[in-house]
Amino acid sequence: VGQMTNGDWVVGLFNREDTPQTRFLSFSTLTEGEMKVRDLWEHKDLGTMNSISVELAPHACKVYRLTK
């Protein structure tokens, strides 16, 4: 997790295991309220939410940008 100079957040979720894993992040650990979420690998806006949960294949990752 890192915060950009414009206030947006970049979040990377990683699965370093040999089996599928679920990764979860509540945005309340970063800021108050909901955030607009964009999947940076798939170039897709996912909408506004207050947390993210994703099932990752073995050795997979996802990277998201969170914007107020």
Side-chain angles (χ1 to χ4, degrees), residues 3 7-9 11 25-38 46-52 65-68:
Q3 191 169 26
D8 291 355
W9 291 87
V11 175
L25 175 67
S26 174
F27 302 157
S28 66
T29 61
L30 307 174
T31 186
E32 291 183 18
E34 294 186 327
M35 305 285 284
K36 295 177 188 173
V37 179
R38 180 167 178 83
L46 303 179
T48 302
M49 49 189 80
N50 56 20
S51 66
I52 195 155
R65 182 176 187 155
L66 311 177
T67 305
K68 268 291 190 196

Side-chain angles (χ1 to χ4, degrees), residues 11-15 39 41-42 54-56 60-64:
V11 175
L13 302 175
F14 299 88
N15 178 8
D39 185 320
W41 286 151
E42 296 185 20
V54 63
E55 178 83 17
L56 293 172
C61 69
K62 289 280 191 174
V63 180
Y64 300 98

